[in-house]
């Protein structure tokens, strides 16, 4: 990733990297999302967790589940991160739907590459003030993206107003590269932990909005 972001991460106190687990509710949005909801769940629960591995690296996970279906189903992003450098060591994505499981994994990512889980982790720790180009790993492939600070916004958590900073991740169109078909919006509370209070994960054609259940 850009040296500015990595340098900022190195300056963070250990307390900012403590283990945590945050709970969310999600729902599908938009016309195409409503159509997708005819075939897939339209709402459910999600969790964003961070834990320390025996190696000392961090594991960041975003798990999305639904209470609309009887059989177990989920979609998840998971990344292993070196806390000293902010480097994403490995990334995995998996899903289980109608008894069919799909898994993608990268055993070793090049420096400067993130996935959805490690992007959330990195941006909330660095809160960049200028646009940054990044490489994102998604379903086993790499794509160029642009991270852009979208400014302060007020969001709701449990009916209470929370002041946040909004960041967007959008695909970059390069003639020689694949174009990412996803989008990611993140709203971080303006508190010492930069708590992610809202996330919008778009994967064509559906858009999933995740909202924090209760601020810790």
């Amino acid at each position: 990733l850009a040296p500015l972001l990595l340098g900022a991460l190195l300056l963070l106190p250990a307390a900012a990297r403590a283990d945590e687990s945050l709970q969310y509710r999600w729902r599908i949005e938009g016309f195409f999302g409503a159509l997708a909801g005819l075939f897939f769940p339209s709402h459910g629960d999600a969790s964003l967790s961070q834990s320390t591995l025996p190696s000392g690296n961090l594991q960041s996970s975003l798990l999305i589940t639904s209470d609309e279906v009887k059989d177990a189903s989920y979609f998840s992003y998971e990344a292993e991160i070196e806390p000293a450098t902010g480097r994403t060591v490995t990334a995995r994505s998996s899903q289980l739907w109608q008894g069919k499981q799909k898994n993608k994994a990268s055993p070793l990512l090049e420096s400067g590459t993130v996935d959805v889980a490690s992007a959330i982790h990195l941006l909330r720790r660095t809160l960049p003030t200028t646009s940054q180009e990044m490489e994102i790993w998604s379903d086993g492939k790499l794509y160029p993206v642009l991270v852009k600070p979208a400014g302060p916004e007020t969001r709701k958590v449990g009916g209470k107003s929370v002041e946040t900073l909004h960041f967007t991740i959008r695909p970059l169109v390069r003639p020689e590269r694949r174009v990412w078909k996803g989008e990611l919006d993140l709203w971080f509370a303006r508190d010492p932990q930069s708590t992610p209070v809202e996330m919008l994960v778009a994967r064509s054609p559906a858009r999933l909005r995740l909202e924090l259940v209760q601020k810790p």
Side-chain angles (χ1 to χ4, degrees):
L1 195 59
L4 177 63
L5 293 183
L6 294 180
L9 186 63
L10 291 172
L11 297 175
L12 290 170
R17 301 192 293 267
D19 294 359
E20 68 176 0
S21 181
L22 302 171
Q23 305 303 313
Y24 298 81
R25 289 289 294 173
W26 67 266
R27 65 182 186 276
I28 287 183
E29 290 188 341
F31 174 73
F32 290 105
L35 291 179
L38 298 176
F39 307 97
F40 298 95
S42 61
H43 64 269
D45 299 310
S47 63
L48 179 66
S49 60
Q50 179 177 285
S51 59
T52 304
L53 299 171
S55 64
N57 286 346
L58 299 177
Q59 181 171 283
S60 182
S61 304
L62 176 62
L63 176 64
I64 299 171
T65 63
S66 177
D67 51 15
E68 285 189 290
V69 292
K70 294 181 180 180
D71 299 330
S73 60
Y74 63 83
F75 192 95
S76 71
Y77 299 94
E78 189 174 277
E80 182 178 341
I81 303 163
E82 287 182 345
T85 64
R87 178 170 174 256
T88 304
V89 180
T90 61
R92 293 175 289 274
S93 65
S94 61
Q95 66 179 73
L96 176 63
W97 175 248
Q98 294 183 337
K100 297 180 180 180
Q101 188 168 17
K102 295 181 181 180
N103 299 289
K104 296 284 186 178
S106 174
L108 185 62
L109 291 177
E110 295 182 2
S111 179
T113 303
V114 297
D115 77 326
V116 170
S118 58
I120 296 169
H121 169 85
L122 182 60
L123 292 179
R124 67 183 290 204
R125 300 313 184 206
T126 58
L127 300 177
T129 57
T130 59
S131 298
Q132 307 283 346
E133 293 188 14
M134 299 168 61
E135 291 279 326
I136 195 164
W137 181 93
S138 180
D139 293 332
K141 298 180 177 64
L142 292 176
Y143 304 89
V145 294
L146 181 68
V147 178
K148 186 177 180 180
E153 293 184 17
T154 302
R155 314 305 288 181
K156 293 284 188 178
V157 178
K160 297 181 179 179
S161 296
V162 176
E163 298 304 313
T164 72
L165 292 175
H166 180 196
F167 293 85
T168 65
I169 300 179
R170 297 292 185 265
L172 278 175
V173 179
R174 299 272 175 77
E176 72 283 5
R177 298 292 304 276
R178 302 183 184 93
V179 178
W180 188 42
K181 295 182 179 180
E183 293 183 355
L184 181 62
D185 285 69
L186 304 167
W187 288 265
F188 300 125
R190 305 187 75 169
D191 59 21
Q193 294 76 34
S194 296
T195 306
V197 300
E198 193 170 327
M199 298 179 278
L200 184 62
V201 183
R203 290 183 55 130
S204 180
R207 292 160 57 89
L208 274 67
R209 186 175 297 275
L210 298 89
E211 296 173 314
L212 187 65
V213 173
Q214 183 177 358
K215 198 171 180 296

